Amino acid sequence: MRGAFLPVWIACAATALAAATRPVAPWPPAGPVRVILDSDAANEVDDQFALALAFGFPERFRIEGAVAAHFGDAGGAGGIGKSQAEIERLLALAGLSGKIPVKRGADPLQYRDRPPSSEGVDFIIERAKAASPEDPLWLVLLGPATDAAAALLKEPAIADRLVVFWHGRTQWPVRCWNFNAYNDTRAARLLFELPCRFVLFDTGTYLRIPVEETARRFAPLGPLGNYLHQIRSREPRFASPGKGFFDLGDTAAIADPSCARWEIVEAPGVDHDLRYDFTRKNGPIVRIHHVETAPAFDLLERALLRLQRPAR
């Protein structure tokens, strides 16, 4: 009978350990950040906007690589390859082909004690080991939490050299519910438990821009700007005035934290149904709960102008 209580004891011990050892993320970043961009870029059209912004601010984003992420059943077994092709297309349009390595990420976690292997996960671990607690690697997840969770499970020693910045856009404080979360629920739950420095980007639905404005502002700004406008014609919903460019907020907030608002909160547990459990205390995290719309699109426009006219 005693054995029946063992999993509960282990869970409580793990929660206590996370709360005791999780350092708060260094937010806002004081200077340039070492970055790996992890993106399910083939899933939608907002990742492309986010990546373009990061490409255009090299003094802020010291991009060490990109990892192509799955996007669940919507992408299927070929999703990672599609994301990789889309990231490489964006790099080519930005004039950055061959300058930023692009690695394949992992499939969704099946078991907590068997992290999936991939070249992307190994790359994250390698670059995190080359970082330091004072100058950590920022893993910016625009898609599922898979690659962060897999890297931390495979090599727990990188926790103090890594900042996980995840686009959760959840139903706070009720549920950790979002496309990125339910595409890999195990990974999403682990981010709230593992003792890593964690920034939850928890907003961005309202980042909207009329298609007429992307035509006017972005389409004339070189091949990448034109592409960002043209991909809005892929589906009617992408051209809708109500379309949110969710992930743009992540890179905008890092590029200029003054356009964001945030709070330090205690990381709750996340149950199997993705409901938050605030009785479990997993240590402090940064939760970004607002980003200004106009500055985010202004930053993107500046990035495209820079990429169109690179410094000599």
Side-chain angles (χ1 to χ4, degrees):
M1 191 68 181
R2 289 177 58 190
F5 293 95
L6 185 59
V8 176
W9 181 86
I10 292 173
C12 292
T15 297
L17 177 64
T21 60
R22 184 197 295 271
V24 67
W27 183 266
V33 292
R34 303 176 59 188
V35 172
I36 289 177
L37 299 165
D38 191 294
S39 170
D40 56 346
N43 169 57
E44 247 252 34
V45 294
D46 55 329
D47 284 58
Q48 291 88 329
F49 281 58
L51 294 171
L53 190 156
F55 295 162
F57 284 92
E59 74 279 14
R60 183 61 163 169
F61 296 86
R62 295 182 178 172
I63 303 174
E64 301 197 0
V67 175
H70 72 86
F71 43 106
D73 286 340
I80 293 170
K82 293 175 183 177
S83 291
Q84 182 174 23
E86 184 68 2
I87 295 169
E88 289 173 344
R89 181 179 296 111
L90 293 168
L91 288 168
L93 292 167
L96 297 173
S97 287
K99 297 181 181 179
I100 296 173
V102 183
K103 307 292 186 179
R104 292 175 59 91
D107 290 317
L109 272 66
Q110 288 186 304
Y111 308 103
R112 287 187 172 212
D113 60 350
R114 189 191 299 170
S117 296
S118 76
E119 61 176 6
V121 170
D122 291 341
F123 181 69
I124 291 165
I125 293 170
E126 172 200 324
R127 300 317 306 152
K129 286 182 174 179
S132 67
E134 298 74 28
D135 185 20
L137 175 72
W138 287 66
L139 178 58
V140 179
L141 301 162
L142 302 177
T146 304
D147 296 320
L152 287 161
L153 289 173
K154 189 172 183 178
E155 185 51 81
I158 66 173
D160 67 341
R161 303 180 181 198
L162 185 69
V163 177
V164 177
F165 187 109
W166 180 50
H167 185 96
R169 195 164 44 86
T170 73
Q171 295 176 1
W172 185 276
V174 179
R175 296 194 300 172
C176 181
W177 186 260
N178 175 263
F179 183 80
N180 292 339
Y182 61 68
N183 274 337
D184 192 342
T185 58
R186 287 185 180 85
R189 296 175 69 204
L190 278 165
L191 287 192
F192 288 85
E193 297 175 18
L194 295 171
C196 63
R197 289 183 279 186
F198 181 26
V199 179
L200 173 63
F201 186 87
D202 211 22
T203 187
T205 305
Y206 49 83
L207 290 173
R208 305 181 183 117
I209 186 170
V211 69
E212 296 81 9
E213 193 170 348
T214 57
R216 175 177 60 82
R217 292 178 64 181
F218 304 151
L221 301 182
L224 182 54
N226 184 59
Y227 183 70
L228 295 185
H229 171 63
Q230 293 299 327
I231 58 177
R232 298 196 68 176
S233 64
R234 286 181 177 174
E235 296 184 21
R237 63 189 178 100
F238 296 155
S240 166
K243 171 72 184 93
F245 289 86
F246 322 114
D247 294 344
L248 176 65
D250 299 62
T251 50
I254 296 172
D256 182 5
S258 71
C259 74
R261 293 201 289 272
W262 61 87
E263 60 184 350
I264 306 296
V265 298
E266 188 77 22
V270 179
D271 292 331
H272 290 282
D273 60 0
L274 295 178
R275 289 189 176 275
Y276 287 122
D277 178 359
F278 287 92
T279 68
R280 289 147 60 192
K281 301 184 183 303
N282 291 323
I285 64 173
V286 177
R287 176 178 172 266
I288 298 176
H289 56 83
H290 183 75
V291 62
E292 297 291 338
T293 298
F297 286 107
D298 290 346
L299 286 164
L300 174 58
E301 185 174 15
R302 285 174 57 194
L304 293 170
L305 279 165
R306 288 168 146 207
L307 292 166
Q308 184 187 26
R309 308 187 190 100
R312 296 182 181 276

